[in-house]
Amino acid sequence: MLQKQKKLKIMLTGGGTIGSVSPLLAISQKIKEKNSEVKFLFLGTYKGRVEKELVKNYKIPFQPIFSGKLRRYLSFKNFIDLIFIFLGFVQSFFIILKFRPNVIVSAGSFVSVPVIWAGWILKIPSLIHQQDAVPGLANKLMAPFATKITVVFEKSLKDFPKDKTILTGNPTREDIFAGDKKRAREIFKLEKDLPVILFIGGGTGALALNKLIIEALLELTKFCQIIHLTGKNKNLLVDLKNFGGNYHAYDFLTKEMPDAYAAADLVVCRAGMGTLTEISLMGQPAIIIPIPNSHQEKNAEIFSQKNAAILLNQRELTPEILIQEIKNLLNNQEKLKILSENINKVMKSGAMEKIIEEINKICGKK
């Protein structure tokens, strides 16, 4: 484990989506437990209100930098974003010079690309973590410059250089397991004997899922209670009086998230690896609705193939179908039990310790 004799500095970088932030916070939390003297600095995006709030909750300094997204198709935005990537590179270069980290750690996202590049020029080693079943362009751009690459799925080992890639699984925040059902009833004003569905709309792609949920609300709230995470700035024109107090909407949750999970009899979510890791490790029965034509479809397929979740195709999904799927599951306790047992087996355990061990090696501590 990280020793206490020497003060370490670790730079974390990610953002744009919570999925690239959560694993880094999980890692930092565990490292701090073992060595409270380690200094962290988080480089994220200017627009990341949610990521900034999450990082702040972990008492880690947050510094935004410019970032841009490179698309795999011809677009004028690629030329504009190249300017932002260059500006982010310049910012990263001088921030790294000042902070002098022992290692830079990223879990993907385009904001990390110029940080890893600048670190490589300044001879700062780095570790990048590949969460999704399909490698993203950001990690592909960073991989040649990374010291070590960790992956969640065995199939991902072939996507990166063999000599510096290892299978670890996906780390998650340990406080996510600290939820309490009784406390959740008080926080979310829930009835004791009515099933609870946790809808996690996410960020990207939340609008389509939110629309589907809203159209199903009138029927759903007749037989269950709903905690709905809509995503930031996803204004929903909903008259709460229509749902008898059984509908509770939030942009996002931070410290209350463990209790939301504890309250849920069923989770309905996208297929980002942050959420999938959490529900897997907690054994939460789930309906997964991946964003169409995205890497999420491959993530969801892995869970579906193991009979670990119900996979629904958004292209064919209607409010009526969603209502019936939820009703069928809530009325089938045996099915819920099977899903819970199977989903709990999908994610590899011990990910946190393995990634910290690699950080330890990179920092030169044997």
Side-chain angles (χ1 to χ4, degrees), residues 54-68:
L54 271 174
V55 173
K56 181 182 175 183
N57 285 343
Y58 282 77
K59 296 180 172 56
I60 295 174
F62 180 92
Q63 192 156 348
I65 63 171
F66 287 105
S67 62

Side-chain angles (χ1 to χ4, degrees), residues 40-321:
F40 291 93
L41 178 62
F42 197 107
L43 300 194
T45 66
Y46 278 105
K47 297 179 180 179
R49 181 171 69 92
V50 178
E51 70 200 49
K52 185 176 181 180
E53 174 116 359
L54 271 174
V55 173
K56 181 182 175 183
N57 285 343
Y58 282 77
K59 296 180 172 56
I60 295 174
F62 180 92
Q63 192 156 348
I65 63 171
F66 287 105
S67 62
K69 179 179 180 179
L70 292 178
R71 298 153 188 84
R72 298 173 191 258
Y73 53 87
L74 189 62
S75 170
F76 179 71
K77 290 182 179 179
N78 282 337
F79 298 101
I80 301 298
D81 280 358
L82 279 172
I83 297 172
F84 288 114
I85 291 171
F86 175 73
L87 291 173
F89 173 82
V90 173
Q91 287 177 298
S92 301
F93 188 89
F94 287 105
I95 292 169
I96 292 170
L97 268 180
K98 183 178 179 180
F99 186 63
R100 286 291 178 183
N102 297 86
V103 63
I104 302 171
V105 183
S106 167
S109 93
F110 280 97
V111 70
S112 302
V113 175
V115 182
I116 298 296
W117 289 354
W120 182 79
I121 289 175
L122 292 170
K123 301 188 184 306
I124 304 296
S126 61
L127 180 148
I128 63 173
H129 182 58
Q130 173 61 41
Q131 297 186 81
D132 296 309
V134 177
L137 181 56
N139 272 356
K140 283 189 172 183
L141 291 171
M142 292 187 285
F145 307 94
T147 308
K148 181 66 69 172
I149 301 166
T150 56
V151 299
V152 173
F153 298 112
E154 190 170 359
K155 69 183 291 297
S156 299
L157 290 170
K158 68 181 189 314
D159 296 322
F160 299 99
K162 184 178 179 181
D163 61 336
K164 59 180 180 180
T165 306
I166 66 165
L167 177 67
T168 59
N170 205 30
T172 194
R173 299 171 290 155
E174 291 189 343
D175 58 0
I176 209 72
F177 302 103
D180 181 79
K181 197 180 265 295
K182 183 179 179 181
R183 185 170 61 229
R185 286 200 295 270
E186 297 173 358
I187 292 171
F188 301 110
K189 299 178 174 59
L190 301 171
E191 297 294 329
K192 185 176 181 180
D193 299 319
L194 200 60
V196 176
I197 311 298
L198 174 61
F199 283 96
I200 305 176
T204 307
L207 281 175
L209 189 55
N210 288 344
K211 184 175 182 292
L212 188 72
I213 294 164
I214 295 305
E215 290 176 357
L217 268 185
L218 198 58
E219 184 62 30
L220 285 175
T221 51
K222 291 178 181 177
F223 62 88
C224 64
Q225 303 170 92
I226 292 171
I227 300 173
H228 183 188
L229 308 190
T230 63
K232 64 174 183 174
N233 301 324
K234 303 294 191 299
N235 296 322
L236 303 178
L237 300 176
V238 177
D239 187 349
L240 298 181
K241 294 193 297 292
N242 293 332
F243 309 113
N246 288 339
Y247 176 69
H248 312 274
Y250 304 87
D251 284 0
F252 63 94
L253 296 174
T254 51
K255 63 179 181 295
E256 305 91 352
M257 193 65 196
D259 293 315
Y261 276 129
D265 296 284
L266 178 67
V267 175
V268 180
C269 61
R270 289 298 197 186
M273 280 311 304
T275 300
L276 292 185
T277 300
E278 289 174 354
I279 63 175
S280 172
L281 294 176
M282 290 187 294
Q284 286 274 13
I287 293 175
I288 302 174
I289 310 170
I291 296 174
N293 303 315
S294 75
H295 63 276
Q296 288 196 5
E297 291 182 316
K298 289 296 183 183
N299 293 344
E301 281 177 15
I302 291 174
F303 282 70
S304 178
Q305 289 165 1
K306 298 178 183 292
N307 192 26
I310 302 299
L311 173 58
L312 298 181
N313 186 337
Q314 182 180 301
R315 302 176 193 85
E316 304 166 356
L317 194 54
T318 65
E320 293 73 24
I321 292 174

